[in-house]
Amino acid sequence: MGTPRTRTILGLLLVVGLGFGTAACGSGADDTEEGGRVTLVINGLPPATEAANHQRFLDNVAEFEKLNPDIDLEPREGKMDPQTFAAKLAGGQLEDVFYVYFTDPANLIAKRQVADVSEYLADFPVTQQIKPEVLRVFQDDKGGVYGLPYKNYSMGLLYNRELFTKAGLDPANPPRTWAEVREAAKKITALGDGHVGYGEYSKSNTGGWHFTAEIYSLGGEVAVNDGGTWKAAFNSAQGKQVLQQLKDMRWTDNSMGERQLLEWSDLLQLMGSGKLGMYVATADNIPTIVNQYQGKYETYGLGPIPGGAGTLGGGEGYMFNAKASPAKIKAGLKWLTFWFTSAERFEAENKWSADNKIPIGLPEPAIFTGDAAQLQAAADAKYANVPQENYAPFKAAMPSIPVKLEPPNAQQIYAVLDVAMQKVLTERDANVDQLLADAEKQVNQILASVR
């Protein structure tokens, strides 16, 4: 989802070791000579306006290059931008190793715009500890690997523990079903004084984004690939359940408040005000609520997404320019696994984050198994500075809830589904069946161009 994300620090953990060189972006030739140096261009450099991140990056540049005197790494600002990617690729300006979201690899691999790095992975054994289901995002249908993940996330139920206590609910046991969400929302709303039991989005593509997470939670799909053709799949029993429950909570229970047509910052602000009981969110909403809307870490809990049949997730990683030489690919893998494999690196980054009052210990799905996972978990536990018990329900359920990615052309689909969300939240007589049928026709038109 293209909403604001507070992922800068965790993203930094993978790019902190990049050094400054003198090469232009991206090159196809193997520009190393016998005994020579490799210059590798990579994006992700934090802008100078992010002073702490920028300086931490520069400090780590020196450390990485000292350990790797034959590699010069030249970082550039920016991440994956679909609007400029094609032009950069055509103009030879695409970085050698570049940042992507989990929704990008399949299309890049299909268009052969990235390099297969499979043959080099044997020299980097930590890559064998990446969870197969996560690595699969960066693989083709034959198992070829074109990049490495470094972080993923999934959605759960963010809630106000203090309001749960006041409403007679157990803050250690958040709702596990949508029926329980509905009952809890009634109790929180019954506190009066402007309290809202449950909040929902419906504007600027956020409504469709939440609809996707919620239909996944019931075992449904937004789109399916049927024999090579993508088709809308949300006009289903699960899709109807999502919209009908929201309509019932809004108009029968009056547990969602009068104000609707909400977008991303609205629910964070309402949660920070202490008036909102629950909404579907990722863990990184919590520091934003604290830092921008005067919340407190101890106030908020995170539980698994109700229903538990699936949840919307995503993540980030790095891929390799299709024109990258073997020397550049090896250098890139050396850098990427430099952070993965170093227990000292995990500790050093967490200590720095803790010293700079950046939250450590927010729950997110791990991408590793084995020793790598244990090393990272130990470092996270050592420097955790947010209340771990508040996230225990989410952490306990994570292994059992499948994480699903966004559908193709997600933002266009979300814009269509926004309308259905808006209607059930603003029109008492909204026809759920008709809304889904109308949206289905539009989404099928959007999906017709997907191959």
Side-chain angles (χ1 to χ4, degrees):
M1 171 62 192
T3 56
R5 296 287 190 201
T6 54
R7 305 194 189 286
T8 303
I9 295 302
L10 290 172
L12 179 62
L13 292 177
L14 187 57
V15 295
V16 288
L18 307 180
F20 290 88
T22 57
C25 278
S27 64
D30 188 338
D31 53 3
T32 59
E33 299 177 358
E34 188 69 29
R37 301 169 68 86
V38 178
T39 298
L40 193 80
V41 183
I42 187 166
N43 61 10
L45 173 65
T49 52
E50 297 179 16
N53 293 343
H54 193 80
Q55 187 58 51
R56 180 61 177 171
F57 189 104
L58 298 179
D59 291 343
N60 279 283
V61 164
E63 180 180 352
F64 181 79
E65 291 193 326
K66 183 177 180 180
L67 293 171
N68 301 276
D70 58 339
I71 301 174
D72 289 322
L73 293 157
E74 183 176 343
R76 300 291 171 89
E77 290 187 13
K79 296 183 178 180
M80 175 49 138
D81 183 356
Q83 303 298 323
T84 61
F85 180 86
K88 289 176 67 175
L89 182 67
Q93 295 300 304
L94 182 65
E95 295 83 4
D96 300 308
V97 181
F98 58 93
Y99 177 103
V100 295
Y101 298 102
F102 274 16
T103 49
D104 300 318
N107 188 47
L108 298 177
I109 293 170
K111 292 182 177 179
R112 300 182 181 180
Q113 294 172 327
V114 284
D116 186 338
V117 302
S118 306
E119 65 181 287
Y120 308 102
L121 296 182
D123 294 331
F124 303 93
V126 73
T127 60
Q128 304 304 311
Q129 296 187 59
I130 297 173
K131 289 183 176 180
E133 64 269 27
V134 179
L135 187 62
R136 198 170 297 124
V137 173
F138 293 85
Q139 292 178 309
D140 61 21
D141 56 3
K142 297 180 180 178
V145 178
Y146 295 79
L148 295 178
Y150 78 89
K151 181 175 181 288
N152 63 341
Y153 69 88
S154 67
M155 300 183 75
L157 185 71
L158 180 60
Y159 61 100
N160 185 315
R161 290 169 57 90
E162 294 176 359
L163 291 186
F164 265 52
T165 299
K166 290 180 180 178
L169 300 166
D170 183 357
N173 291 290
R176 298 302 181 99
T177 68
W178 287 105
E180 291 177 357
V181 168
R182 184 175 180 182
E183 292 306 310
K186 291 179 186 178
K187 293 180 179 180
I188 293 168
T189 302
L191 295 172
D193 193 28
H195 286 97
V196 174
Y198 182 78
E200 187 56 274
Y201 291 130
S202 60
K203 187 178 178 183
S204 302
N205 297 7
T206 58
W209 176 48
H210 263 202
F211 177 92
T212 299
E214 290 157 16
I215 195 172
Y216 284 174
S217 77
L218 296 169
E221 300 285 353
V222 170
V224 294
N225 190 321
D226 183 7
T229 301
W230 282 93
K231 296 181 179 179
F234 54 79
N235 188 3
S236 62
Q238 294 93 341
K240 292 176 183 178
Q241 183 176 339
V242 171
L243 293 185
Q244 189 62 52
Q245 167 134 343
L246 291 173
K247 182 180 177 182
D248 291 343
M249 291 176 70
R250 170 70 176 93
W251 300 105
T252 302
D253 303 344
N254 294 314
S255 62
M256 298 184 66
E258 295 293 328
R259 183 186 169 210
Q260 295 299 327
L261 302 180
L262 306 180
E263 52 190 320
W264 192 77
S265 63
D266 293 325
L267 290 181
L268 282 76
Q269 184 175 10
L270 188 58
M271 184 63 82
S273 73
K275 296 295 186 180
L276 176 61
M278 303 169 284
Y279 73 102
V280 170
T282 52
D284 64 3
N285 279 209
I286 298 173
T288 305
I289 294 168
V290 171
N291 295 328
Q292 295 187 24
Y293 302 110
Q294 293 73 54
K296 297 180 179 179
Y297 281 107
E298 57 267 28
T299 300
Y300 308 112
L302 190 69
I305 194 162
T311 186
L312 177 61
E316 303 147 38
Y318 278 83
M319 301 187 81
F320 294 76
N321 191 318
K323 297 181 180 180
S325 67
K328 286 178 178 288
I329 290 173
K330 292 174 184 177
L333 287 169
K334 191 169 187 177
W335 155 241
L336 297 181
T337 57
F338 166 76
W339 181 75
F340 287 160
T341 57
S342 173
E344 294 178 359
R345 174 75 36 195
F346 287 138
E347 290 216 7
E349 295 306 323
N350 281 357
K351 183 179 185 303
W352 178 82
S353 294
D355 290 344
N356 284 273
K357 302 187 186 316
I358 295 165
I360 300 295
L362 291 172
E364 295 190 347
I367 66 170
F368 296 112
T369 61
D371 294 342
Q374 293 177 18
L375 291 173
Q376 184 169 8
D380 287 348
K382 180 175 180 179
Y383 290 99
N385 54 11
V386 292
Q388 298 299 287
E389 64 277 8
N390 288 15
Y391 320 128
F394 181 86
K395 289 182 176 180
M398 275 196 301
S400 64
I401 300 179
V403 176
K404 300 181 180 181
L405 299 182
E406 294 179 304
N409 290 349
Q411 296 304 317
Q412 296 178 58
I413 292 174
Y414 293 166
V416 172
L417 292 171
D418 265 3
V419 176
M421 297 287 274
Q422 290 170 8
K423 293 292 186 180
V424 297
L425 294 173
T426 61
E427 297 181 10
R428 184 184 294 271
D429 59 352
N431 185 320
V432 168
D433 290 340
Q434 189 62 53
L435 290 171
L436 288 172
D438 291 345
E440 181 181 33
K441 293 177 184 177
Q442 296 177 63
V443 169
N444 277 331
Q445 293 175 348
I446 293 169
L447 292 172
S449 63
V450 178
R451 295 291 183 267

